[in-house]
Amino acid sequence: MSAICGVISLAGAPPGTALCSRLMRALEKHGPDGKGEWRDPLVFLGHQMMHTTPESLDEALPLQHGESQAALTMEGRLDNRPELLNALGLSETSPQPDSALLLKAYLKWGDQSAERLVGEFAFAIWDARRRRLICCTDPMGIRPLFYTVVRGKYIAFASEVQPLLAMCDRPAQLNDRRLAMLGVSGMSVILEPETTCFEQVYRIPAATVLTIDGCRISSREYWRPDPANRLNFSSDEECREAFQDVFFNAVKSRLRSAFPAASLLSGGLDSSAIASVANHLLESSGQKLMTLSSV
Protein backbone atom coordinates (compact mmCIF):
# COMPACT_ATOMS: atom_id res chain seq x y z
CA MET A 1 0.00 0.00 0.00
CA SER A 2 0.94 3.65 -0.18
CA ALA A 3 2.28 5.58 2.81
CA ILE A 4 2.25 9.19 3.99
CA CYS A 5 4.34 11.34 6.29
CA GLY A 6 4.85 14.95 7.25
CA VAL A 7 6.36 17.50 9.60
CA ILE A 8 4.90 20.72 11.01
CA SER A 9 6.95 23.37 12.79
CA LEU A 10 5.90 24.45 16.28
CA ALA A 11 8.48 27.20 16.67
CA GLY A 12 8.33 28.87 13.27
CA ALA A 13 11.59 27.33 12.04
CA PRO A 14 11.18 25.54 8.69
CA PRO A 15 11.49 21.74 8.86
CA GLY A 16 15.03 20.92 7.77
CA THR A 17 15.65 19.03 4.55
CA ALA A 18 17.64 16.35 6.39
CA LEU A 19 14.77 15.76 8.80
CA CYS A 20 12.22 15.35 6.01
CA SER A 21 14.52 13.16 3.93
CA ARG A 22 14.97 10.83 6.89
CA LEU A 23 11.21 10.36 7.05
CA MET A 24 10.89 9.64 3.35
CA ARG A 25 13.77 7.17 3.29
CA ALA A 26 12.21 5.14 6.09
CA LEU A 27 9.03 4.75 3.99
CA GLU A 28 10.67 3.93 0.65
CA LYS A 29 9.46 0.32 0.70
CA HIS A 30 5.92 1.65 0.15
CA GLY A 31 6.76 3.63 -2.97
CA PRO A 32 7.15 1.27 -5.95
CA ASP A 33 5.22 3.71 -8.15
CA GLY A 34 7.02 6.88 -7.15
CA LYS A 35 7.19 9.44 -4.40
CA GLY A 36 6.18 13.06 -3.93
CA GLU A 37 7.06 15.93 -1.62
CA TRP A 38 5.46 19.29 -0.89
CA ARG A 39 6.53 22.00 1.51
CA ASP A 40 5.95 25.55 2.62
CA PRO A 41 7.76 27.54 5.35
CA LEU A 42 6.01 25.65 8.18
CA VAL A 43 4.99 22.28 6.78
CA PHE A 44 6.37 19.31 4.86
CA LEU A 45 4.10 16.64 3.36
CA GLY A 46 5.41 13.42 1.82
CA HIS A 47 3.90 10.51 -0.08
CA GLN A 48 5.10 7.10 -1.25
CA MET A 49 2.85 5.85 -4.04
CA MET A 50 1.54 2.38 -4.78
CA HIS A 51 -1.16 2.34 -7.46
CA THR A 52 -4.24 0.29 -6.61
CA THR A 53 -7.48 1.73 -8.00
CA PRO A 54 -7.97 2.67 -11.67
CA GLU A 55 -8.23 6.34 -10.70
CA SER A 56 -4.88 6.23 -8.90
CA LEU A 57 -2.88 5.37 -12.03
CA ASP A 58 -2.57 9.07 -12.94
CA GLU A 59 -2.58 10.34 -9.35
CA ALA A 60 0.18 12.61 -8.07
CA LEU A 61 0.49 13.30 -4.34
CA PRO A 62 0.82 15.47 -2.30
CA LEU A 63 -1.94 17.51 -3.92
CA GLN A 64 -2.37 21.29 -3.65
CA HIS A 65 -5.40 23.46 -4.38
CA GLY A 66 -4.26 26.62 -6.12
CA GLU A 67 -6.78 29.17 -4.85
CA SER A 68 -6.91 28.14 -1.17
CA GLN A 69 -3.31 26.85 -1.06
CA ALA A 70 -4.59 23.85 0.92
CA ALA A 71 -2.40 20.77 0.51
CA LEU A 72 -3.22 17.10 1.02
CA THR A 73 -1.40 13.82 1.36
CA MET A 74 -3.49 10.65 1.59
CA GLU A 75 -3.27 6.91 1.50
CA GLY A 76 -6.25 4.61 1.22
CA ARG A 77 -9.52 4.33 -0.67
CA LEU A 78 -12.91 6.04 -0.60
CA ASP A 79 -15.82 3.65 -1.06
CA ASN A 80 -18.67 6.15 -1.41
CA ARG A 81 -17.45 7.88 -4.56
CA PRO A 82 -20.93 8.11 -6.19
CA GLU A 83 -22.38 9.90 -3.14
CA LEU A 84 -19.42 12.28 -2.91
CA LEU A 85 -19.42 13.05 -6.63
CA ASN A 86 -23.14 13.80 -6.53
CA ALA A 87 -22.82 16.01 -3.42
CA LEU A 88 -19.94 17.90 -5.01
CA GLY A 89 -21.84 18.43 -8.26
CA LEU A 90 -19.50 16.24 -10.32
CA SER A 91 -20.25 13.55 -12.90
CA GLU A 92 -20.63 10.05 -11.45
CA THR A 93 -18.19 8.84 -14.11
CA SER A 94 -15.52 11.38 -13.15
CA PRO A 95 -12.01 9.88 -13.35
CA GLN A 96 -10.74 12.07 -10.52
CA PRO A 97 -8.72 10.12 -7.94
CA ASP A 98 -10.00 9.73 -4.40
CA SER A 99 -7.49 12.29 -3.12
CA ALA A 100 -8.94 15.01 -5.37
CA LEU A 101 -12.46 14.21 -4.14
CA LEU A 102 -11.27 14.31 -0.55
CA LEU A 103 -9.65 17.72 -0.95
CA LYS A 104 -12.79 19.07 -2.65
CA ALA A 105 -14.88 17.66 0.20
CA TYR A 106 -12.72 19.45 2.76
CA LEU A 107 -12.91 22.73 0.88
CA LYS A 108 -16.72 22.43 0.76
CA TRP A 109 -17.51 21.04 4.24
CA GLY A 110 -14.40 21.85 6.26
CA ASP A 111 -14.18 20.13 9.63
CA GLN A 112 -17.38 18.17 8.98
CA SER A 113 -16.05 16.47 5.85
CA ALA A 114 -14.81 13.41 7.78
CA GLU A 115 -18.38 12.46 8.66
CA ARG A 116 -19.18 12.16 4.95
CA LEU A 117 -16.38 9.69 4.12
CA VAL A 118 -16.70 5.91 3.83
CA GLY A 119 -13.68 3.70 3.22
CA GLU A 120 -10.20 2.90 4.45
CA PHE A 121 -8.00 5.98 4.65
CA ALA A 122 -5.52 8.12 6.52
CA PHE A 123 -4.81 11.66 5.41
CA ALA A 124 -3.33 14.99 6.40
CA ILE A 125 -4.43 18.42 5.15
CA TRP A 126 -2.51 21.65 5.61
CA ASP A 127 -5.09 24.43 5.72
CA ALA A 128 -3.02 27.45 4.71
CA ARG A 129 -5.80 29.97 5.39
CA ARG A 130 -6.25 28.79 8.98
CA ARG A 131 -2.60 27.80 9.32
CA ARG A 132 -3.36 24.43 10.85
CA LEU A 133 -2.68 20.79 10.08
CA ILE A 134 -5.51 18.26 10.15
CA CYS A 135 -4.85 14.52 10.34
CA CYS A 136 -7.65 11.97 10.08
CA THR A 137 -8.12 8.19 10.27
CA ASP A 138 -10.93 6.02 8.91
CA PRO A 139 -13.81 4.86 11.15
CA MET A 140 -12.25 1.46 11.89
CA GLY A 141 -8.62 2.58 12.02
CA ILE A 142 -7.62 0.18 9.26
CA ARG A 143 -5.11 2.66 7.81
CA PRO A 144 -2.98 3.73 10.80
CA LEU A 145 -1.35 7.07 11.46
CA PHE A 146 1.23 7.82 14.15
CA TYR A 147 2.87 11.02 15.41
CA THR A 148 5.60 12.25 17.73
CA VAL A 149 7.16 15.50 18.94
CA VAL A 150 10.70 16.03 17.65
CA ARG A 151 13.11 18.06 19.82
CA GLY A 152 10.20 20.14 21.08
CA LYS A 153 10.25 22.04 17.75
CA TYR A 154 8.28 19.86 15.34
CA ILE A 155 5.49 17.31 15.19
CA ALA A 156 6.07 14.52 12.72
CA PHE A 157 3.53 11.95 11.52
CA ALA A 158 3.77 8.80 9.41
CA SER A 159 1.90 5.65 8.40
CA GLU A 160 4.34 3.58 10.47
CA VAL A 161 6.17 3.91 13.77
CA GLN A 162 9.60 3.13 12.32
CA PRO A 163 10.04 6.41 10.39
CA LEU A 164 9.28 8.36 13.57
CA LEU A 165 11.87 6.38 15.52
CA ALA A 166 14.37 7.22 12.77
CA MET A 167 13.94 10.92 13.57
CA CYS A 168 15.05 10.53 17.18
CA ASP A 169 18.61 11.49 18.06
CA ARG A 170 18.74 8.86 20.81
CA PRO A 171 17.54 5.25 21.13
CA ALA A 172 13.77 4.90 21.46
CA GLN A 173 12.41 4.21 24.93
CA LEU A 174 10.07 1.25 25.25
CA ASN A 175 6.64 1.77 26.77
CA ASP A 176 6.73 -0.93 29.45
CA ARG A 177 3.08 -0.46 30.38
CA ARG A 178 1.87 -1.01 26.82
CA LEU A 179 4.16 -4.02 26.38
CA ALA A 180 2.79 -5.53 29.58
CA MET A 181 -0.75 -4.99 28.33
CA LEU A 182 0.04 -6.92 25.15
CA GLY A 183 0.84 -9.95 27.26
CA VAL A 184 -2.39 -9.68 29.22
CA SER A 185 -5.01 -8.69 26.66
CA GLY A 186 -5.37 -8.42 22.92
CA MET A 187 -7.71 -5.49 23.64
CA SER A 188 -4.83 -3.12 24.44
CA VAL A 189 -5.41 -1.10 21.26
CA ILE A 190 -8.97 -0.49 22.46
CA LEU A 191 -8.12 0.09 26.12
CA GLU A 192 -5.34 2.57 25.24
CA PRO A 193 -5.95 3.58 21.62
CA GLU A 194 -3.41 6.42 21.60
CA THR A 195 -0.35 4.71 23.07
CA THR A 196 2.18 2.51 21.27
CA CYS A 197 5.01 0.24 22.39
CA PHE A 198 7.34 3.26 22.34
CA GLU A 199 7.35 6.25 24.63
CA GLN A 200 6.53 9.57 22.95
CA VAL A 201 5.13 7.88 19.83
CA TYR A 202 1.35 8.06 19.66
CA ARG A 203 -1.32 6.58 17.45
CA ILE A 204 -4.23 8.63 16.13
CA PRO A 205 -7.22 6.45 17.14
CA ALA A 206 -9.84 5.23 14.69
CA ALA A 207 -12.49 7.72 13.57
CA THR A 208 -10.46 10.64 14.90
CA VAL A 209 -9.59 14.08 13.55
CA LEU A 210 -6.38 15.43 15.09
CA THR A 211 -5.80 19.17 14.67
CA ILE A 212 -2.46 20.92 15.19
CA ASP A 213 -3.04 24.65 15.47
CA GLY A 214 0.11 26.52 16.45
CA CYS A 215 1.41 24.71 19.54
CA ARG A 216 -2.03 23.34 20.44
CA ILE A 217 -3.03 19.74 19.69
CA SER A 218 -6.69 18.79 19.87
CA SER A 219 -8.71 15.81 18.70
CA ARG A 220 -12.31 14.79 18.24
CA GLU A 221 -14.03 11.50 17.51
CA TYR A 222 -16.30 11.89 14.50
CA TRP A 223 -17.97 8.46 14.59
CA ARG A 224 -18.61 5.55 16.91
CA PRO A 225 -20.99 2.55 16.83
CA ASP A 226 -24.35 3.26 18.39
CA PRO A 227 -25.56 0.15 20.28
CA ALA A 228 -28.95 1.80 20.79
CA ASN A 229 -29.55 2.02 17.04
CA ARG A 230 -31.30 -1.30 16.40
CA LEU A 231 -32.40 -2.62 13.03
CA ASN A 232 -35.89 -4.13 13.25
CA PHE A 233 -36.70 -6.75 10.62
CA SER A 234 -40.06 -8.40 10.14
CA SER A 235 -38.58 -11.79 9.27
CA ASP A 236 -35.37 -13.79 9.07
CA GLU A 237 -35.53 -13.53 5.29
CA GLU A 238 -35.63 -9.72 5.44
CA CYS A 239 -32.63 -9.76 7.79
CA ARG A 240 -30.74 -12.10 5.46
CA GLU A 241 -31.40 -9.90 2.45
CA ALA A 242 -30.26 -6.79 4.30
CA PHE A 243 -27.03 -8.47 5.41
CA GLN A 244 -26.37 -9.80 1.92
CA ASP A 245 -26.79 -6.33 0.44
CA VAL A 246 -24.25 -4.82 2.86
CA PHE A 247 -21.86 -7.76 2.47
CA PHE A 248 -21.92 -7.67 -1.33
CA ASN A 249 -21.34 -3.90 -1.35
CA ALA A 250 -18.40 -4.24 1.08
CA VAL A 251 -16.72 -6.87 -1.10
CA LYS A 252 -17.45 -4.91 -4.29
CA SER A 253 -15.77 -1.82 -2.86
CA ARG A 254 -12.57 -3.78 -2.33
CA LEU A 255 -12.62 -5.08 -5.89
CA ARG A 256 -12.19 -1.58 -7.36
CA SER A 257 -8.72 -2.33 -8.58
CA ALA A 258 -6.53 -1.51 -11.55
CA PHE A 259 -5.04 -5.01 -11.33
CA PRO A 260 -6.28 -8.62 -11.03
CA ALA A 261 -7.80 -9.42 -7.64
CA ALA A 262 -6.72 -12.18 -5.27
CA SER A 263 -8.08 -13.50 -1.99
CA LEU A 264 -6.27 -15.24 0.87
CA LEU A 265 -8.04 -18.36 2.13
CA SER A 266 -7.44 -18.99 5.83
CA GLY A 267 -9.55 -22.15 5.98
CA GLY A 268 -12.47 -20.55 7.84
CA LEU A 269 -15.97 -19.46 6.87
CA ASP A 270 -15.14 -15.75 6.67
CA SER A 271 -12.53 -15.93 3.92
CA SER A 272 -14.55 -18.56 2.06
CA ALA A 273 -17.62 -16.30 2.03
CA ILE A 274 -15.58 -13.31 0.85
CA ALA A 275 -13.92 -15.33 -1.92
CA SER A 276 -17.25 -16.74 -3.06
CA VAL A 277 -18.88 -13.30 -3.33
CA ALA A 278 -15.79 -11.78 -4.95
CA ASN A 279 -15.67 -14.52 -7.57
CA HIS A 280 -19.39 -14.07 -8.28
CA LEU A 281 -18.97 -10.33 -8.77
CA LEU A 282 -15.89 -10.71 -10.98
CA GLU A 283 -17.48 -13.36 -13.18
CA SER A 284 -20.20 -10.90 -14.16
CA SER A 285 -17.51 -8.79 -15.85
CA GLY A 286 -15.56 -11.69 -17.33
CA GLN A 287 -12.82 -11.73 -14.70
CA LYS A 288 -11.51 -14.47 -12.45
CA LEU A 289 -10.48 -14.42 -8.81
CA MET A 290 -7.08 -15.81 -7.83
CA THR A 291 -7.03 -17.53 -4.43
CA LEU A 292 -4.04 -18.13 -2.20
CA SER A 293 -3.64 -20.34 0.85
CA SER A 294 -1.19 -20.10 3.73
CA VAL A 295 -1.93 -23.54 5.19
Side-chain angles (χ1 to χ4, degrees):
M1 63 178 66
S2 299
I4 64 174
C5 63
V7 183
I8 180 171
S9 173
L10 300 177
T17 301
L19 200 67
C20 302
S21 297
R22 200 183 306 175
L23 259 182
M24 292 292 288
R25 283 197 302 270
L27 287 172
E28 281 183 344
K29 62 183 179 182
H30 292 279
D33 296 315
K35 64 180 181 180
E37 300 179 5
W38 177 91
R39 68 180 68 231
D40 85 345
L42 292 178
V43 178
F44 165 82
L45 299 178
H47 190 274
Q48 298 283 0
M49 176 67 75
M50 179 176 177
H51 296 314
T52 53
T53 66
E55 296 84 7
S56 72
L57 296 178
D58 297 319
E59 188 174 28
L61 286 167
L63 178 67
Q64 184 182 26
H65 181 257
E67 182 179 350
S68 68
Q69 296 299 298
L72 161 81
T73 187
M74 170 198 179
E75 82 97 355
R77 183 191 70 247
L78 296 180
D79 293 337
N80 61 330
R81 282 179 59 89
E83 293 86 350
L84 288 174
L85 287 167
N86 182 63
L88 293 169
L90 302 172
S91 168
E92 290 193 9
T93 59
S94 172
Q96 293 188 61
D98 292 352
S99 57
L101 293 184
L102 177 53
L103 187 54
K104 284 182 170 64
Y106 177 78
L107 294 174
K108 182 177 179 67
W109 298 302
D111 294 349
Q112 305 306 312
S113 57
E115 285 85 339
R116 293 176 173 265
L117 305 178
V118 177
E120 302 174 8
F121 53 80
F123 66 83
I125 295 177
W126 169 242
D127 190 328
R129 289 175 175 172
R130 299 183 180 181
R131 302 189 73 75
R132 66 180 186 177
L133 182 72
I134 298 162
C135 300
C136 183
T137 53
D138 64 67
M140 299 302 292
I142 296 174
R143 304 296 176 113
L145 202 55
F146 304 90
Y147 70 97
T148 190
V149 178
V150 182
R151 305 170 196 160
K153 298 180 180 179
Y154 311 100
I155 291 179
F157 67 87
S159 299
E160 291 183 356
V161 171
Q162 182 60 39
L164 302 180
L165 299 180
M167 300 187 73
C168 299
D169 296 325
R170 58 189 180 189
Q173 299 296 310
L174 294 177
N175 183 341
D176 293 336
R177 172 184 168 83
R178 184 60 187 273
L179 288 170
M181 290 177 67
L182 290 176
V184 174
S185 171
M187 301 286 287
S188 58
V189 70
I190 297 175
L191 297 173
E192 289 195 3
E194 296 184 15
T195 63
T196 69
C197 292
F198 298 93
E199 296 283 359
Q200 307 305 316
V201 177
Y202 305 96
R203 180 175 185 145
I204 301 177
T208 296
V209 176
L210 183 82
T211 302
I212 304 170
D213 190 349
C215 293
R216 187 172 68 92
I217 302 177
S218 61
S219 65
R220 71 175 181 91
E221 186 181 54
Y222 66 85
W223 178 86
R224 68 166 50 191
D226 183 4
N229 184 18
R230 300 184 62 85
L231 300 176
N232 297 312
F233 299 105
S234 60
S235 65
D236 290 346
E237 179 63 19
E238 185 180 350
C239 179
R240 184 194 67 79
E241 289 179 356
F243 171 79
Q244 180 175 291
D245 183 56
V246 173
F247 187 49
F248 270 57
N249 283 333
V251 175
K252 183 179 180 180
S253 296
R254 287 153 179 81
L255 291 176
R256 182 165 63 96
S257 172
F259 308 100
S263 179
L264 177 64
L265 297 173
S266 64
L269 292 176
D270 295 349
S271 62
S272 300
I274 292 170
S276 177
V277 171
N279 187 61
H280 173 76
L281 293 171
L282 289 171
E283 279 186 337
S284 64
S285 58
Q287 303 178 67
K288 289 186 177 181
L289 179 71
M290 176 186 295
T291 57
L292 309 171
S293 176
S294 57
V295 174

